[in-house]
Amino acid sequence: MKKRLLCLSLIFAMTAAQVMPVSAARKDDLQAEKSATQSKLSEAESKASSLESKKNALMGQIDSTQQELVSVISQIEILDEDIKEKEADIEKTKEDLKKAEADRDEQYEAMKLRIQYMYENGGNDTWAQILLESDSIASMLAKAENTEKMYAYDRDELQKMKDIVQEVTDLEEKLEGEKAELETAKNEQEGMKASLQTKVDNLKANAKDYEAQIASARAQAQEYKNLIEQQNAELKKIQEQEAAAAKAAQEAAKKKTQQSNTNTGNAVTGGTTTNNNGGTSNNNNNNNTSSTDDSSNDSSENTNSGNTNTDTTPDTDAGSSNSGSTQEDNSSSAPSYDSSTGAAVVAYAKQFIGNPYVYGGNSLTNGIDCSGFTQQIFAHFGYSLPRTSDAQANSGVGIDYSKSRAGDIIVYPGHVAILTGDGGIVHASNSAPYPKGGIKYTANALYRSYIAVRRIVQ
């Protein structure tokens, strides 16, 4: 019976000895596969993080572009109101012109009647008739003076009526020119609105593409995580099998030793048991070390994932820093002023009066638009301005209109001009021929609502 038990123990031990090399080889393969999977997981998470950063940057562009779009839309609304006001002024001026022309014609008809009466009653002999019919020289002079006064009155009144008609006509032309400027500015803003809307649409389409790529990368990362969990489970199973095989081998060896001791009656059993227990202790230590390695790998995996989540923090800080800088620029309240340079800017700008206006043009002589005009005028003196009127509204230092001087710029909805210091402006107005359009001087800088006054020359 004892021999049979001994044989069974030996068979079991031999079987365990065969299983252990196979499981050890599979364990090594799994560790290598797990390492490769963790590397792929890290790449997938890194890719997702990079795509997320790009998407966030894109969303920032969308926000800023939408803000520009809102600004342009609000300027278009202001321009619409200004155009309506100009149209109302033009209608009133047309009515005034009709009345002035009617008064002039009435005065002219009255004068013709008086002249006709005088000629019909006296003709060419009027002065002789006055001389003959007068009782005295004083009476004759009085009649002659009255006749002359009547002629002078008619001439003066007729001239007044002509002057009024001309004045009203000039006012109508002026208002029509201002309306044309407003319409030009509105058309430019409408073009900018369309361009910005297209930009927003394209950016949103790109953002959706990034969202799809991010979702794909995250799904792939999740697949790698699931695979790692499967690999960990299989490794755990192998470790459990190894531990069970080792325990069975130890028990078999123990039984073999006990059987040998029983047969020989040797009294050294305690020492042998001690050695076997020591071996058992070593096997347990090895198993524990293997478990520790797996835990270390899992910890490394979690650490990588944590690092991925912290990448976007600096971008937020940078945005806050820039925003603070912008507020600091706008807070300046007492800017200095270089009067000689300001006067020189105005004098240089006036040299180009009469040259044509061309939207998008960049030639001070052959054609330029309002923001290009201010940009190139100030560039001549070493000052760098952005290309659009909206951007120029943030250049330099903001000041009140009451504190404006020659060489400051005034920004209107969709338009910009250089203040001349005498209440007027010099600017590239609209595409009408000079003097209705082109680069010209306008006497009233407040002929329309404005957005900002900025001091460039300091």
Side-chain angles (χ1 to χ4, degrees), residues 140-197:
M140 179 191 70
L141 291 175
K143 288 181 180 180
E145 184 178 1
N146 288 336
T147 302
E148 184 62 28
K149 283 182 178 180
M150 186 167 29
Y151 279 123
Y153 171 79
D154 285 336
R155 285 195 302 271
D156 291 344
E157 288 301 312
L158 184 59
Q159 188 60 46
K160 286 179 182 179
M161 293 301 105
K162 287 181 178 180
D163 291 342
I164 289 173
V165 169
Q166 187 61 48
E167 182 180 338
V168 176
T169 301
D170 292 342
L171 177 59
E172 182 181 9
E173 290 181 358
K174 175 176 173 290
L175 291 173
E176 290 286 0
E178 291 173 356
K179 178 187 174 185
E181 288 181 19
L182 292 171
E183 289 175 339
T184 298
K186 180 184 175 182
N187 291 336
E188 291 174 3
Q189 293 296 301
E190 290 285 2
M192 191 177 296
K193 174 185 173 184
S195 176
L196 288 172
Q197 187 62 60

